[in-house]
Amino acid sequence: MSRRKRIALGLSATALAVGAGIGVAGMASATTTPTPTPSASSSASTDGTAPTEGKGRHGGHGGERGVAQASALAEKLGVEEAKVTEALQAFREANKPASPPAAGTRPDPAARDAALAKALAESLGIEESKVTAALDELRSEAQAERAAALKTRLDKAVTDGKLTQAEADAVTKAVENGVIGGGGR
């Protein structure tokens, strides 16, 4: 294989790996915490950011995902979905930032998750440890779904001749080790 083709293949593989990582990171951050159904009065996400009306945190329509997440959390906690949705909305409202975070900074996800678990526990009259466990289970399930989706996309890329198996394995390893994408938390 000529040097030019090897360089082109290497650059293509790198671009694909980075693109896959960005996609995984976007999916990871989009589903780390349950999001209630947006309403006419509020469509902020659970981390307090205020997206445009009818849009999810990253510009997509997240209403169905929010309903599914509130439903799944309600099921795990053994409470009514409406109560979970109301508690999530109250958390969002109480934790809306006055201004966006400074450039290059992000809110601490562990602190946000702990505050969410505490607020939900108080609002729903459930032990905080049970809420934390349910949120952790939902997060783990979402991560497993993202990993399966990535594997499917990489397998297809190998089958289609777009990647070698070694390149696909390298992307998987990089994601799992948090080098690219949202593999590590």
Side-chain angles (χ1 to χ4, degrees), residues 101-174:
T105 63
R106 286 182 50 172
D108 178 23
R112 184 192 63 229
D113 292 349
L116 174 62
K118 182 177 181 177
L120 288 174
E122 289 174 3
S123 179
L124 299 171
I126 297 174
E127 290 182 34
E128 188 175 334
S129 61
K130 185 175 179 182
V131 175
T132 300
L135 290 170
D136 288 345
E137 278 181 50
L138 288 173
R139 186 173 299 109
S140 293
E141 290 168 5
Q143 287 173 338
E145 288 173 13
R146 286 189 304 276
L150 176 62
K151 181 177 180 353
T152 299
R153 288 194 320 270
L154 290 173
D155 288 347
K156 181 168 178 9
V158 170
T159 301
D160 293 348
K162 294 179 180 179
L163 289 178
T164 65
Q165 187 60 54
E167 291 167 333
D169 292 343
V171 170
T172 301
K173 185 175 181 180

Side-chain angles (χ1 to χ4, degrees), residues 17-172:
V18 171
I22 290 170
V24 171
M27 290 188 309
S29 66
T31 59
T32 57
T33 56
T35 306
T37 306
S39 68
S41 64
S42 171
S43 61
S45 64
T46 59
D47 68 356
T49 58
T52 57
E53 187 64 32
K55 300 282 188 177
R57 222 170 105 188
H58 299 283
H61 295 279
E64 289 180 25
R65 183 180 67 233
V67 170
Q69 289 172 337
S71 176
L73 183 57
E75 184 177 323
K76 288 198 180 294
L77 295 174
V79 297
E80 292 177 25
E81 183 179 336
K83 288 182 180 181
V84 172
T85 300
E86 185 178 309
L88 287 169
Q89 184 147 352
F91 175 79
R92 279 194 331 263
E93 292 297 323
N95 290 285
K96 252 185 211 178
S99 63
T105 63
R106 286 182 50 172
D108 178 23
R112 184 192 63 229
D113 292 349
L116 174 62
K118 182 177 181 177
L120 288 174
E122 289 174 3
S123 179
L124 299 171
I126 297 174
E127 290 182 34
E128 188 175 334
S129 61
K130 185 175 179 182
V131 175
T132 300
L135 290 170
D136 288 345
E137 278 181 50
L138 288 173
R139 186 173 299 109
S140 293
E141 290 168 5
Q143 287 173 338
E145 288 173 13
R146 286 189 304 276
L150 176 62
K151 181 177 180 353
T152 299
R153 288 194 320 270
L154 290 173
D155 288 347
K156 181 168 178 9
V158 170
T159 301
D160 293 348
K162 294 179 180 179
L163 289 178
T164 65
Q165 187 60 54
E167 291 167 333
D169 292 343
V171 170
T172 301

